Amino acid sequence: MHKPNTIEVTLWSIAIPGFGQLINKKYIKGIIFISLEFLINMKSNLNIAIILSFQGKISAAINQVNYQWLMFYPCIYMFAIWDAFIDSSNERKSSCFLPFVVAAYSGTIGVIYSENLKFMGILFGPVWLPLIFIFLGIVIGFIVNKLFLYKAKN
């Protein structure tokens, strides 16, 4: 039986949480993640905020977003990616969760501060700031993971 490619599954899960699970034939989990994605997306007005952010209308995006719902998004998103990655991966390293967890936490912090935090006078808003924080979290998580694995070897 053919096992799906880990990169393919991870990229599909990045596109829409739950797609990676469907490729991995974990249909119930996939449907749950897709349902959560749509619920949080709709309740937080995320699609409207994405459109406005791409148009450079950050203040309008901030006014559209329901932050109480949007705060759930980074954690669900990163957990779905991690879950799809783990289900398709042949390796089971005990610390491979670290980049995903740190990214989820940092993305949530990005959501919390997206209304006010400016960098060099630029307000990034509820779409770009959490994305920046997620990427920073992934980098920090990989560094911590490497240090953890290095320490475990010695």
Side-chain angles (χ1 to χ4, degrees), residues 19-96:
F19 279 16
Q21 284 75 12
L22 295 178
I23 293 170
N24 284 332
K25 297 183 171 69
K26 307 285 182 165
Y27 300 114
I28 294 173
K29 280 199 293 189
I31 290 168
I32 290 170
F33 281 127
I34 291 169
S35 299
L36 285 171
E37 151 75 20
F38 281 107
L39 175 68
I40 295 168
N41 195 312
M42 296 286 291
K43 292 289 189 176
S44 69
N45 297 322
L46 182 58
N47 281 347
I48 296 167
I50 290 170
I51 292 167
L52 292 169
S53 294
F54 269 90
Q55 294 173 345
K57 301 173 183 172
I58 303 301
S59 294
I62 289 169
N63 291 331
Q64 280 294 318
V65 168
N66 181 333
Y67 283 94
Q68 291 181 342
W69 278 96
L70 187 60
M71 285 184 54
F72 288 106
Y73 196 81
C75 291
I76 295 294
Y77 188 75
M78 294 309 298
F79 183 76
I81 296 169
W82 171 80
D83 183 70
F85 172 80
I86 285 298
D87 281 346
S88 67
S89 179
N90 291 329
E91 291 186 44
R92 296 278 184 182
K93 293 181 183 171
S94 62
S95 63
C96 72

Coordinates of all heavy atoms in Angstrom, one line a residue, residues 19-96:
F19 N -7.1 18.7 5.0 CA -6.8 18.1 3.7 C -5.7 17.0 3.9 O -5.8 16.0 3.3 CB -6.5 19.1 2.7 CG -7.6 19.8 2.0 CD1 -8.9 19.8 2.6 CD2 -7.4 20.5 0.8 CE1 -10.0 20.4 2.0 CE2 -8.5 21.1 0.2 CZ -9.8 21.1 0.8
G20 N -4.7 17.3 4.7 CA -3.7 16.4 5.0 C -4.2 15.1 5.6 O -3.8 14.0 5.3
Q21 N -5.2 15.3 6.5 CA -5.8 14.1 7.2 C -6.5 13.3 6.2 O -6.5 12.1 6.2 CB -6.7 14.6 8.3 CG -5.9 15.0 9.6 CD -5.3 16.4 9.4 OE1 -5.5 17.1 8.5 NE2 -4.4 16.7 10.4
L22 N -7.2 13.9 5.2 CA -8.0 13.2 4.2 C -7.0 12.4 3.3 O -7.3 11.3 3.0 CB -8.8 14.2 3.4 CG -10.0 14.9 4.1 CD1 -10.7 15.9 3.1 CD2 -10.9 13.9 4.7
I23 N -5.9 13.0 3.0 CA -4.9 12.3 2.2 C -4.4 11.1 2.9 O -4.1 10.0 2.4 CB -3.8 13.2 1.7 CG1 -4.3 14.2 0.7 CG2 -2.6 12.4 1.1 CD1 -3.4 15.4 0.4
N24 N -4.2 11.3 4.2 CA -3.7 10.2 5.1 C -4.8 9.1 5.4 O -4.6 8.2 6.2 CB -3.2 10.7 6.4 CG -1.8 11.4 6.3 OD1 -1.0 11.0 5.4 ND2 -1.5 12.4 7.1
K25 N -6.0 9.3 4.9 CA -7.1 8.4 5.1 C -7.6 8.4 6.5 O -8.1 7.5 7.0 CB -6.8 7.0 4.6 CG -6.5 6.9 3.1 CD -6.3 5.5 2.7 CE -6.2 5.4 1.3 NZ -5.5 5.6 0.3
K26 N -7.5 9.6 7.2 CA -8.0 9.8 8.5 C -9.2 10.7 8.3 O -9.2 11.9 8.6 CB -6.9 10.5 9.4 CG -5.6 9.8 9.5 CD -5.7 8.5 10.3 CE -4.3 7.9 10.4 NZ -4.2 6.9 11.4
Y27 N -10.3 10.1 7.8 CA -11.4 10.9 7.3 C -12.2 11.7 8.5 O -12.6 12.8 8.3 CB -12.4 10.0 6.6 CG -11.7 9.4 5.4 CD1 -11.5 8.0 5.3 CD2 -11.3 10.2 4.3 CE1 -10.9 7.4 4.2 CE2 -10.7 9.6 3.2 CZ -10.5 8.2 3.2 OH -9.8 7.7 2.1
I28 N -12.3 11.0 9.6 CA -13.1 11.7 10.7 C -12.3 12.9 11.2 O -12.8 14.0 11.3 CB -13.4 10.7 11.8 CG1 -14.4 9.7 11.3 CG2 -13.9 11.5 13.0 CD1 -14.6 8.5 12.3
K29 N -11.0 12.7 11.4 CA -10.1 13.8 11.8 C -10.1 14.9 10.7 O -10.2 16.1 11.1 CB -8.7 13.4 12.1 CG -8.5 12.7 13.4 CD -7.0 12.7 13.8 CE -6.2 11.9 13.0 NZ -4.8 11.7 13.6
G30 N -10.1 14.5 9.5 CA -10.1 15.5 8.4 C -11.3 16.3 8.4 O -11.3 17.6 8.2
I31 N -12.4 15.7 8.5 CA -13.7 16.4 8.5 C -13.8 17.3 9.7 O -14.3 18.5 9.6 CB -14.9 15.4 8.4 CG1 -14.9 14.7 7.1 CG2 -16.2 16.1 8.7 CD1 -15.8 13.5 6.9
I32 N -13.3 16.9 10.9 CA -13.4 17.7 12.1 C -12.5 19.0 11.9 O -12.9 20.1 12.2 CB -12.9 16.9 13.3 CG1 -14.0 15.9 13.7 CG2 -12.6 17.9 14.5 CD1 -13.6 14.9 14.8
F33 N -11.3 18.8 11.4 CA -10.4 19.9 11.1 C -11.0 20.9 10.1 O -10.9 22.1 10.3 CB -9.0 19.5 10.7 CG -8.2 19.0 11.9 CD1 -7.5 17.8 11.8 CD2 -8.0 19.8 13.0 CE1 -6.7 17.4 12.9 CE2 -7.2 19.4 14.1 CZ -6.6 18.2 14.0
I34 N -11.5 20.4 9.0 CA -12.1 21.2 8.0 C -13.3 22.0 8.6 O -13.5 23.2 8.3 CB -12.6 20.4 6.7 CG1 -11.3 19.9 6.0 CG2 -13.4 21.2 5.8 CD1 -11.6 18.9 4.9
S35 N -14.1 21.3 9.4 CA -15.3 21.9 10.0 C -14.8 23.0 11.0 O -15.4 24.1 11.0 CB -16.1 20.9 10.8 OG -16.6 19.9 9.9
L36 N -13.8 22.8 11.8 CA -13.3 23.8 12.7 C -12.7 25.0 11.9 O -12.9 26.1 12.3 CB -12.2 23.2 13.6 CG -12.7 22.3 14.7 CD1 -11.6 21.6 15.4 CD2 -13.5 23.1 15.7
E37 N -12.0 24.7 10.8 CA -11.5 25.7 10.0 C -12.6 26.6 9.5 O -12.5 27.9 9.6 CB -10.7 25.1 8.8 CG -10.7 25.9 7.5 CD -9.7 27.0 7.5 OE1 -8.8 27.0 8.4 OE2 -9.9 27.9 6.7
F38 N -13.6 26.1 8.9 CA -14.7 26.9 8.4 C -15.5 27.6 9.5 O -15.8 28.8 9.4 CB -15.7 26.1 7.6 CG -15.2 25.8 6.2 CD1 -14.7 24.6 5.8 CD2 -15.1 26.8 5.3 CE1 -14.2 24.3 4.6 CE2 -14.6 26.6 4.0 CZ -14.1 25.3 3.6
L39 N -15.7 27.0 10.7 CA -16.4 27.6 11.8 C -15.6 28.8 12.3 O -16.2 29.9 12.4 CB -16.6 26.6 12.9 CG -17.2 27.2 14.2 CD1 -18.7 27.6 13.9 CD2 -17.1 26.2 15.3
I40 N -14.3 28.6 12.6 CA -13.5 29.7 13.1 C -13.4 30.8 12.0 O -13.4 32.0 12.3 CB -12.1 29.2 13.6 CG1 -12.4 28.3 14.8 CG2 -11.2 30.3 14.0 CD1 -11.1 27.5 15.2
N41 N -13.2 30.4 10.8 CA -13.0 31.4 9.7 C -14.2 32.2 9.6 O -14.1 33.5 9.5 CB -12.7 30.6 8.4 CG -12.2 31.5 7.3 OD1 -12.8 32.5 7.0 ND2 -11.2 31.0 6.7
M42 N -15.4 31.6 9.6 CA -16.7 32.4 9.5 C -16.9 33.3 10.7 O -17.3 34.4 10.5 CB -17.8 31.4 9.3 CG -17.8 30.6 8.0 SD -18.1 31.5 6.6 CE -19.9 31.8 6.8
K43 N -16.8 32.7 11.9 CA -17.1 33.5 13.1 C -16.1 34.6 13.3 O -16.5 35.6 14.0 CB -17.1 32.5 14.3 CG -18.2 31.5 14.3 CD -19.5 32.2 14.6 CE -20.7 31.3 14.8 NZ -21.9 31.9 15.1
S44 N -14.9 34.5 12.9 CA -13.9 35.5 13.1 C -13.8 36.5 12.0 O -13.1 37.5 12.1 CB -12.5 34.9 13.3 OG -12.0 34.3 12.1
N45 N -14.5 36.3 10.9 CA -14.5 37.1 9.7 C -13.1 37.2 9.1 O -12.6 38.2 8.5 CB -15.0 38.6 10.0 CG -16.4 38.6 10.4 OD1 -17.2 37.9 9.9 ND2 -16.7 39.5 11.4
L46 N -12.4 36.0 9.1 CA -11.0 36.0 8.7 C -10.9 36.2 7.2 O -10.0 36.9 6.8 CB -10.4 34.6 9.1 CG -8.9 34.4 8.7 CD1 -8.1 35.5 9.3 CD2 -8.4 33.1 9.1
N47 N -11.8 35.7 6.4 CA -11.6 35.9 4.9 C -11.8 37.4 4.6 O -11.0 37.9 3.7 CB -12.7 35.1 4.2 CG -12.3 33.6 4.0 OD1 -11.1 33.3 4.3 ND2 -13.2 32.8 3.6
I48 N -12.7 38.1 5.2 CA -12.8 39.5 4.9 C -11.5 40.2 5.4 O -11.0 41.1 4.6 CB -14.0 40.1 5.7 CG1 -15.3 39.4 5.1 CG2 -14.1 41.6 5.6 CD1 -16.6 39.7 6.0
A49 N -11.0 39.8 6.5 CA -9.7 40.5 7.0 C -8.6 40.2 6.0 O -7.7 41.0 5.8 CB -9.4 40.0 8.4
I50 N -8.5 39.0 5.5 CA -7.5 38.6 4.5 C -7.6 39.5 3.3 O -6.6 40.1 2.8 CB -7.5 37.1 4.1 CG1 -7.1 36.3 5.3 CG2 -6.7 36.8 2.9 CD1 -7.4 34.8 5.2
I51 N -8.8 39.6 2.8 CA -9.0 40.5 1.6 C -8.6 41.9 1.9 O -7.8 42.5 1.1 CB -10.5 40.4 1.1 CG1 -10.8 39.0 0.5 CG2 -10.8 41.5 0.0 CD1 -12.3 38.8 0.3
L52 N -9.1 42.5 3.0 CA -8.7 43.8 3.3 C -7.2 44.0 3.6 O -6.6 45.0 3.2 CB -9.5 44.3 4.6 CG -11.0 44.4 4.3 CD1 -11.7 44.6 5.7 CD2 -11.3 45.6 3.4
S53 N -6.6 43.0 4.2 CA -5.1 43.1 4.4 C -4.3 43.1 3.1 O -3.4 43.8 3.0 CB -4.7 41.9 5.3 OG -5.3 42.1 6.6
F54 N -4.8 42.2 2.2 CA -4.1 42.2 0.9 C -4.3 43.5 0.1 O -3.4 43.9 -0.7 CB -4.6 41.0 0.0 CG -3.8 39.8 0.2 CD1 -4.1 38.9 1.2 CD2 -2.7 39.5 -0.6 CE1 -3.4 37.7 1.4 CE2 -1.9 38.4 -0.4 CZ -2.3 37.5 0.6
Q55 N -5.4 44.2 0.4 CA -5.6 45.5 -0.2 C -4.9 46.7 0.5 O -5.0 47.8 0.1 CB -7.1 45.8 -0.3 CG -7.8 44.8 -1.3 CD -9.3 45.0 -1.2 OE1 -9.9 45.6 -0.3 NE2 -10.0 44.4 -2.2
G56 N -4.3 46.3 1.6 CA -3.6 47.3 2.4 C -4.5 48.1 3.4 O -4.1 49.1 3.9
K57 N -5.7 47.6 3.6 CA -6.7 48.3 4.5 C -6.6 47.7 5.8 O -7.6 47.0 6.3 CB -8.1 48.3 3.8 CG -8.1 48.9 2.5 CD -9.5 48.7 1.8 CE -9.5 49.3 0.5 NZ -10.8 48.9 -0.2
I58 N -5.5 47.9 6.5 CA -5.3 47.2 7.8 C -6.3 47.6 8.9 O -6.8 46.8 9.6 CB -3.8 47.4 8.3 CG1 -2.8 46.9 7.2 CG2 -3.6 46.7 9.6 CD1 -2.9 45.4 6.8
S59 N -6.6 48.9 9.0 CA -7.5 49.4 10.0 C -8.9 48.8 9.8 O -9.6 48.4 10.7 CB -7.6 50.9 9.9 OG -6.4 51.5 10.3
A60 N -9.3 48.7 8.5 CA -10.6 48.1 8.2 C -10.6 46.6 8.6 O -11.6 46.0 9.1 CB -10.9 48.2 6.7
A61 N -9.5 45.9 8.3 CA -9.3 44.5 8.7 C -9.4 44.3 10.2 O -10.1 43.4 10.7 CB -8.0 43.9 8.2
I62 N -8.8 45.2 10.9 CA -8.8 45.1 12.4 C -10.3 45.3 12.9 O -10.7 44.6 13.8 CB -7.9 46.2 13.0 CG1 -6.5 45.8 12.8 CG2 -8.2 46.4 14.5 CD1 -5.5 46.9 13.1
N63 N -11.0 46.2 12.3 CA -12.4 46.5 12.7 C -13.3 45.3 12.3 O -14.4 45.1 12.9 CB -12.9 47.8 12.0 CG -12.2 49.0 12.6 OD1 -11.8 49.0 13.8 ND2 -12.1 50.0 11.8
Q64 N -13.0 44.5 11.3 CA -13.8 43.4 10.9 C -13.7 42.1 11.7 O -14.6 41.4 11.9 CB -13.5 43.0 9.4 CG -14.1 43.9 8.4 CD -15.6 43.8 8.4 OE1 -16.2 42.7 8.5 NE2 -16.3 44.9 8.3
V65 N -12.5 42.0 12.3 CA -12.2 40.7 12.9 C -12.8 40.6 14.3 O -12.9 41.5 15.1 CB -10.6 40.6 13.1 CG1 -10.2 39.5 14.0 CG2 -10.0 40.4 11.8
N66 N -13.3 39.4 14.6 CA -13.8 39.0 15.9 C -12.6 38.3 16.6 O -12.4 37.1 16.3 CB -15.0 38.1 15.8 CG -15.5 37.7 17.2 OD1 -14.8 37.7 18.2 ND2 -16.8 37.4 17.2
Y67 N -11.9 39.0 17.5 CA -10.7 38.4 18.1 C -10.9 37.2 19.0 O -10.1 36.4 19.1 CB -9.9 39.5 18.8 CG -9.2 40.5 17.9 CD1 -9.8 41.6 17.4 CD2 -7.9 40.1 17.4 CE1 -9.1 42.5 16.6 CE2 -7.2 41.0 16.6 CZ -7.8 42.1 16.2 OH -7.2 42.9 15.3
Q68 N -12.1 37.2 19.6 CA -12.4 36.0 20.4 C -12.4 34.7 19.7 O -12.1 33.7 20.2 CB -13.7 36.2 21.2 CG -13.6 37.3 22.2 CD -14.9 37.6 23.0 OE1 -16.0 37.1 22.5 NE2 -14.8 38.2 24.1
W69 N -12.8 34.8 18.4 CA -12.8 33.6 17.6 C -11.4 33.4 16.9 O -10.9 32.3 16.8 CB -13.9 33.6 16.5 CG -15.2 33.2 17.0 CD1 -16.2 34.0 17.5 CD2 -15.7 31.9 17.2 NE1 -17.2 33.2 18.0 CE2 -16.9 31.9 17.8 CE3 -15.1 30.6 16.9 CZ2 -17.7 30.8 18.1 CZ3 -15.8 29.5 17.2 CH2 -17.1 29.6 17.8
L70 N -10.8 34.5 16.5 CA -9.6 34.4 15.7 C -8.4 33.9 16.6 O -7.5 33.2 16.0 CB -9.2 35.8 15.2 CG -8.0 35.9 14.3 CD1 -8.2 35.0 13.0 CD2 -7.6 37.3 13.9
M71 N -8.5 34.0 17.9 CA -7.4 33.5 18.8 C -7.3 32.0 18.7 O -6.3 31.4 19.0 CB -7.6 34.0 20.2 CG -7.3 35.4 20.4 SD -7.4 36.0 22.0 CE -6.4 34.8 22.9
F72 N -8.4 31.3 18.3 CA -8.4 29.8 18.2 C -7.6 29.4 16.9 O -7.1 28.3 16.9 CB -9.8 29.2 18.1 CG -10.5 29.3 19.4 CD1 -11.6 30.2 19.6 CD2 -10.2 28.4 20.4 CE1 -12.3 30.2 20.8 CE2 -10.9 28.4 21.6 CZ -11.9 29.3 21.8
Y73 N -7.6 30.2 15.9 CA -7.1 29.8 14.6 C -5.6 29.3 14.6 O -5.4 28.2 14.0 CB -7.3 30.9 13.6 CG -7.2 30.4 12.2 CD1 -8.3 29.8 11.6 CD2 -6.1 30.5 11.4 CE1 -8.2 29.3 10.3 CE2 -6.0 30.1 10.2 CZ -7.1 29.4 9.6 OH -7.0 28.9 8.3
P74 N -4.7 30.1 15.1 CA -3.3 29.6 15.0 C -3.1 28.2 15.6 O -2.3 27.4 15.1 CB -2.5 30.6 15.8 CG -3.3 31.9 15.7 CD -4.7 31.4 15.8
C75 N -3.7 27.9 16.8 CA -3.5 26.6 17.4 C -4.2 25.5 16.6 O -3.5 24.4 16.4 CB -4.1 26.6 18.8 SG -3.1 27.7 19.9
I76 N -5.4 25.7 16.1 CA -6.0 24.7 15.3 C -5.2 24.4 14.0 O -5.0 23.3 13.6 CB -7.5 25.1 15.0 CG1 -8.3 25.1 16.2 CG2 -8.1 24.1 13.9 CD1 -8.6 23.8 16.9
Y77 N -4.8 25.5 13.4 CA -4.1 25.5 12.2 C -2.8 24.7 12.3 O -2.5 23.7 11.6 CB -3.8 26.9 11.7 CG -3.2 27.0 10.3 CD1 -4.0 26.8 9.2 CD2 -1.9 27.4 10.2 CE1 -3.4 27.0 7.9 CE2 -1.3 27.5 8.9 CZ -2.1 27.3 7.8 OH -1.6 27.4 6.5
M78 N -2.0 25.0 13.3 CA -0.7 24.4 13.5 C -0.9 22.9 14.0 O -0.1 22.0 13.6 CB 0.2 25.2 14.5 CG 0.6 26.5 14.0 SD 1.4 26.5 12.3 CE 2.8 25.5 12.6
F79 N -1.9 22.7 14.8 CA -2.1 21.3 15.3 C -2.5 20.4 14.1 O -2.1 19.3 14.0 CB -3.2 21.2 16.3 CG -3.4 19.9 16.9 CD1 -2.5 19.3 17.7 CD2 -4.5 19.1 16.5 CE1 -2.7 18.0 18.2 CE2 -4.7 17.8 16.9 CZ -3.8 17.3 17.8
A80 N -3.3 20.9 13.2 CA -3.7 20.1 12.0 C -2.5 19.8 11.1 O -2.4 18.7 10.6 CB -4.8 20.9 11.2
I81 N -1.6 20.8 10.9 CA -0.4 20.6 10.1 C 0.4 19.5 10.8 O 0.9 18.6 10.2 CB 0.3 21.9 9.9 CG1 -0.5 22.9 9.1 CG2 1.7 21.6 9.2 CD1 0.0 24.3 9.0
W82 N 0.7 19.7 12.1 CA 1.5 18.7 12.9 C 0.9 17.3 12.8 O 1.6 16.3 12.5 CB 1.6 19.1 14.3 CG 2.3 18.1 15.2 CD1 3.6 17.8 15.3 CD2 1.6 17.1 16.0 NE1 3.8 16.7 16.1 CE2 2.6 16.3 16.6 CE3 0.2 16.9 16.3 CZ2 2.2 15.3 17.5 CZ3 -0.1 15.9 17.2 CH2 0.9 15.1 17.8
D83 N -0.4 17.2 13.0 CA -1.1 15.9 12.9 C -0.9 15.2 11.6 O -0.7 14.0 11.5 CB -2.6 16.1 13.3 CG -3.3 14.8 13.4 OD1 -3.0 14.0 14.3 OD2 -4.1 14.5 12.5
A84 N -1.1 16.0 10.5 CA -1.0 15.4 9.2 C 0.5 15.0 8.9 O 0.8 13.9 8.4 CB -1.4 16.4 8.1
F85 N 1.4 15.8 9.4 CA 2.8 15.5 9.2 C 3.2 14.2 10.0 O 3.9 13.4 9.4 CB 3.7 16.7 9.8 CG 5.1 16.5 9.9 CD1 5.9 16.5 8.7 CD2 5.7 16.1 11.1 CE1 7.3 16.3 8.8 CE2 7.1 15.9 11.2 CZ 7.9 16.0 10.0
I86 N 2.8 14.1 11.2 CA 3.1 12.9 12.0 C 2.5 11.7 11.4 O 3.1 10.6 11.4 CB 2.6 13.1 13.5 CG1 3.5 14.1 14.2 CG2 2.5 11.8 14.2 CD1 4.9 13.6 14.4
D87 N 1.2 11.7 11.0 CA 0.6 10.6 10.4 C 1.2 10.1 9.1 O 1.2 8.9 8.8 CB -0.9 10.9 10.1 CG -1.8 10.8 11.4 OD1 -1.3 10.3 12.4 OD2 -2.9 11.3 11.3
S88 N 1.9 11.0 8.4 CA 2.5 10.6 7.1 C 4.0 10.4 7.2 O 4.6 9.9 6.3 CB 2.3 11.7 6.1 OG 3.0 12.9 6.4
S89 N 4.6 10.7 8.4 CA 6.0 10.6 8.6 C 6.4 9.2 9.0 O 5.8 8.6 9.8 CB 6.5 11.6 9.6 OG 7.9 11.5 9.8
N90 N 7.6 8.8 8.5 CA 8.1 7.5 9.0 C 8.9 7.6 10.3 O 9.1 6.7 11.0 CB 9.1 6.9 7.9 CG 8.3 6.5 6.7 OD1 7.1 6.1 6.8 ND2 8.9 6.6 5.5
E91 N 9.4 8.8 10.5 CA 10.2 9.0 11.7 C 9.3 9.5 12.8 O 8.4 10.3 12.6 CB 11.3 10.1 11.5 CG 12.4 9.7 10.5 CD 13.5 10.7 10.4 OE1 13.9 11.3 11.4 OE2 13.9 11.0 9.3
R92 N 9.6 9.0 14.0 CA 8.8 9.4 15.2 C 9.8 10.0 16.2 O 10.1 9.4 17.3 CB 8.1 8.2 15.8 CG 7.1 7.6 14.9 CD 5.8 8.4 15.0 NE 4.8 7.8 14.2 CZ 3.6 8.2 14.1 NH1 3.2 9.3 14.7 NH2 2.7 7.6 13.4
K93 N 10.3 11.2 16.0 CA 11.2 11.9 16.9 C 10.3 12.5 18.0 O 9.3 13.1 17.8 CB 12.0 12.9 16.2 CG 13.0 12.4 15.3 CD 13.8 13.5 14.7 CE 14.8 12.9 13.6 NZ 15.4 13.9 12.8
S94 N 10.8 12.3 19.3 CA 10.0 12.8 20.4 C 9.9 14.3 20.4 O 8.9 14.8 21.0 CB 10.6 12.3 21.7 OG 11.9 12.8 21.9
S95 N 10.8 15.0 19.8 CA 10.7 16.5 19.9 C 10.3 17.2 18.6 O 10.3 18.4 18.5 CB 12.1 17.0 20.3 OG 13.0 16.7 19.3
C96 N 9.8 16.4 17.6 CA 9.4 17.0 16.4 C 8.2 17.9 16.5 O 7.9 18.7 15.6 CB 9.2 16.0 15.3 SG 7.7 15.0 15.5

